[in-house]
C-alpha cells in the first residue's frame, strides 16, 4: 500500500518541484511507493497539477501555517511531510514535536547556516576551514581596503535561487547599488573568489541518525538557465549562477572527502547541499543548505534519489550504503509547462 507524502512549495523552479519529480517519475520505483499530495501557497504553481491530490497552504511566515499543515495531515492521512522551501524547512524542523509523523528535514539547530551568511562564515572559521570574508554592506569600505574588485553583493538572508545576488566590478557600480538599497537592507559584500570553471554543488546525504549514506558532486556549467550575471573584468569572464544548476556529475574524491567531513562536523542528519569553489587548490564554501537541493531532480535521474531514500529510512527503517550512482554524465536543464483548465 502506498504511503501518503505531502510535498510543499511545488512551484516550477522550486526545490519542492524537484522533490516531486524525484518521487513521481514513472521510470522510478519511487513512483510505486508513494502517493504524493502537492501543496503550495499559490494556485499558479506547476506541481499542483502534476499529481491527483493537492492543497493550498499559507506562507510559512503566517501565524496559521502550522495549523494548516496539521489539518492537511488529518485530511490526507499523511505518513510524512517534505518541505520544499527554505522557510518551510526552518519552521517545520522547529515544530517537529507537534506532528506524529516524520518531517523529512535536517536538524533545526543547523538551519541558521542556510538562513544567515554570517552564521555560515562563523561555523567555517570554527571548523578551521578557509572562508570567504563577509562584511556587512555598511562596512563596504573595509572590504575595499583588503580586496580588489570584483565583489559579490547579496542579502545576508534569503538568497535561495541566488535572489538579489549581483557582481560588482567597480566602485562606481558599487555606489550605484548602495544608493538603491533601502536602509538596514541586511545585505553583505564578499570578494568574488575563484572562477566559474571551478564551481561545484555537492550533496551529502545522511540518514535519520546521522550515518553517512553517500555524496554526489556536480561541476556547474554556468550557461542559459544557470547563468545569473556575467561581466568581463580585466579581460577575464566573471560569472555567478542562478542557483538553477546544471552541469556534470563527476567523481571528485577531494571534494567528497571535504564535504563528508564537513557534514559530520555539523552533525547533519538528512539532506545537505554545499556550494563551493576551488581557488588556488583550496576549497572555499560559499553556501551551506541543510535541505534538499535544486538539483534533487537530476540527482534522482542518475541514481541518487535522496527523498526516496530518506522516506524509506524514516518509514521502513531501511539502511543504505554507497549508491553507485552514475557519474561522467552531463545534465542539461530546460523549463517544463503544464496546461490546466482554469476551473481547476
Amino acid at each position: 500500500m502506498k504511503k501518503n507524502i505531502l510535498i510543499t512549495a511545488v512551484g516550477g523552479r522550486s526545490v519542492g518541484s524537484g522533490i516531486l519529480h524525484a518521487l513521481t517519475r514513472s521510470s522510478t520505483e519511487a513512483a510505486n511507493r508513494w502517493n504524493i499530495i502537492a501543496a503550495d501557497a499559490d494556485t499558479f504553481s506547476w506541481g499542483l497539477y502534476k499529481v491527483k491530490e493537492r492543497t493550498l497552504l499559507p506562507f510559512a511566515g503566517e501565524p496559521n501555517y502550522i495549523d494548516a499543515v496539521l489539518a492537511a495531515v488529518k485530511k490526507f492521512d499523511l505518513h510524512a511531510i517534505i518541505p520544499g522551501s527554505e522557510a518551510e524547512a526552518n519552521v517545520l524542523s522547529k515544530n517537529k514535536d507537534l506532528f506524529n509523523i516524520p518531517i523529512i528535514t535536517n536538524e533545526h539547530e543547523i538551519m541558521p547556516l542556510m538562513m544567515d551568511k554570517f552564521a555560515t562564515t562563523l561555523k567555517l572559521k570554527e571548523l578551521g576551514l578557509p572562508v570567504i570574508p563577509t562584511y556587512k554592506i555598511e562596512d563596504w569600505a573595509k572590504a575595499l581596503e583588503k580586496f580588489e574588485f570584483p565583489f559579490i553583493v547579496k542579502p545576508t538572508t534569503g538568497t535561495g535561487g541566488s535572489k538579489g545576488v549581483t557582481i560588482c566590478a567597480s566602485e562606481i557600480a558599487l555606489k550605484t547599488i548602495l544608493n538603491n538599497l533601502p536602509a538596514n537592507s541586511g545585505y553583505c559584500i564578499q570578494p568574488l573568489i575563484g572562477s566559474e570553471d571551478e564551481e561545484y554543488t555537492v550533496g551529502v546525504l545522511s540518514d535519520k541518525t546521522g550515518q553517512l549514506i553517500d555524496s554526489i558532486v556536480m561541476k556547474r556549467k554556468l550557461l542559459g538557465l544557470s547563468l545569473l550575471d556575467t561581466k568581463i573584468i580585466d579581460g577575464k569572464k566573471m560569472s555567478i549562477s542562478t542557483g538553477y544548476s546544471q552541469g556534470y556529475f563527476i567523481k571528485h574524491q577531494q571534494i567528497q572527502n571535504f564535504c563528508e567531513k564537513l557534514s559530520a562536523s555539523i552533525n547533519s542528519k538528512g539532506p545537505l547541499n554545499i556550494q563551493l569553489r576551488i581557488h588556488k587548490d583550496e576549497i572555499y564554501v560559499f553556501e551551506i543548505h541543510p535541505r534538499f537541493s535544486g538539483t534533487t531532480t537530476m540527482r534522482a535521474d542518475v541514481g541518487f534519489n535522496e527523498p526516496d531514500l530518506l522516506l524509506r529510512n524514516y518509514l521502513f527503517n531501511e539502511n543504505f550504503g554507497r549508491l553507485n550512482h552514475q557519474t561522467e554524465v552531463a545534465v542539461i536543464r530546460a523549463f517544463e509547462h503544464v496546461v490546466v483548465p482554469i476551473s481547476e
Side-chain angles (χ1 to χ4, degrees), residues 210-316:
Q211 181 68 37
L212 175 70
I213 296 174
D214 204 354
S215 59
I216 185 169
V217 179
M218 173 186 278
K219 184 173 185 178
R220 281 175 152 181
K221 177 73 171 176
L222 301 192
L223 181 73
L225 296 177
S226 297
L227 183 60
L228 176 65
D229 193 12
T230 187
K231 289 182 172 63
I232 304 298
I233 302 170
D234 294 332
K236 295 181 180 179
K237 184 182 176 186
M238 300 288 182
S239 302
I240 53 175
S241 74
T242 59
Y244 201 61
S245 300
Q246 58 185 337
Y248 311 95
F249 284 121
I250 63 171
K251 286 286 186 185
H252 197 305
Q253 205 60 54
Q254 177 195 9
I255 289 177
Q256 286 183 265
N257 290 344
F258 177 97
C259 291
E260 290 175 9
K261 183 178 179 181
L262 175 55
S263 173
S265 296
I266 62 174
N267 298 315
S268 177
K269 296 177 182 177
L272 181 69
N273 196 56
I274 299 168
Q275 296 174 33
L276 60 89
R277 284 188 172 190
I278 296 181
H279 178 59
K280 296 180 179 179
D281 296 324
E282 290 271 23
I283 293 175
Y284 288 85
V285 173
F286 59 91
E287 297 281 352
I288 300 175
H289 293 150
R291 58 158 171 77
F292 291 100
S293 164
T295 62
T296 296
T297 172
M298 294 178 289
R299 293 174 182 175
D301 283 348
V302 299
F304 198 97
N305 196 328
E306 296 156 287
D308 179 63
L309 293 167
L310 285 178
L311 284 170
R312 290 160 66 186
N313 177 241
Y314 271 84
L315 297 179
F316 305 130

Side-chain angles (χ1 to χ4, degrees), residues 92-300:
L92 288 173
S93 65
K94 183 179 181 180
N95 290 281
K96 281 184 178 181
D97 291 346
L98 298 179
F99 296 84
N100 60 358
I101 60 172
I103 309 295
I104 312 299
T105 66
N106 215 307
E107 297 298 287
H108 184 69
E109 288 73 19
I110 63 173
M111 289 295 159
L113 299 179
M114 171 172 68
M115 310 300 290
D116 188 328
K117 301 298 173 288
F118 289 105
T120 302
T121 300
L122 287 172
K123 175 55 71 172
L124 292 171
K125 283 183 178 178
E126 178 186 311
L127 296 173
L129 299 175
V131 299
I132 300 174
T134 304
Y135 300 84
K136 294 180 180 179
I137 195 63
E138 53 266 32
D139 294 331
W140 62 269
K142 293 180 182 178
L144 267 60
E145 287 175 3
K146 294 190 176 182
F147 299 94
E148 296 180 352
F149 286 95
F151 286 89
I152 297 291
V153 175
K154 61 184 179 182
T156 302
T157 61
T159 54
S162 297
K163 181 173 61 179
V165 181
T166 307
I167 295 178
C168 186
S170 68
E171 190 166 340
I172 293 173
L174 174 59
K175 288 182 178 178
T176 299
I177 293 170
L178 294 172
N179 289 336
N180 286 294
L181 289 178
N184 302 314
S185 63
Y187 272 61
C188 62
I189 183 169
Q190 299 174 322
L192 179 57
I193 299 292
S195 73
E196 64 179 84
D197 296 326
E198 291 291 345
E199 183 167 317
Y200 302 84
T201 290
V202 185
V204 182
L205 185 64
S206 305
D207 68 17
K208 62 185 178 181
T209 69
Q211 181 68 37
L212 175 70
I213 296 174
D214 204 354
S215 59
I216 185 169
V217 179
M218 173 186 278
K219 184 173 185 178
R220 281 175 152 181
K221 177 73 171 176
L222 301 192
L223 181 73
L225 296 177
S226 297
L227 183 60
L228 176 65
D229 193 12
T230 187
K231 289 182 172 63
I232 304 298
I233 302 170
D234 294 332
K236 295 181 180 179
K237 184 182 176 186
M238 300 288 182
S239 302
I240 53 175
S241 74
T242 59
Y244 201 61
S245 300
Q246 58 185 337
Y248 311 95
F249 284 121
I250 63 171
K251 286 286 186 185
H252 197 305
Q253 205 60 54
Q254 177 195 9
I255 289 177
Q256 286 183 265
N257 290 344
F258 177 97
C259 291
E260 290 175 9
K261 183 178 179 181
L262 175 55
S263 173
S265 296
I266 62 174
N267 298 315
S268 177
K269 296 177 182 177
L272 181 69
N273 196 56
I274 299 168
Q275 296 174 33
L276 60 89
R277 284 188 172 190
I278 296 181
H279 178 59
K280 296 180 179 179
D281 296 324
E282 290 271 23
I283 293 175
Y284 288 85
V285 173
F286 59 91
E287 297 281 352
I288 300 175
H289 293 150
R291 58 158 171 77
F292 291 100
S293 164
T295 62
T296 296
T297 172
M298 294 178 289
R299 293 174 182 175

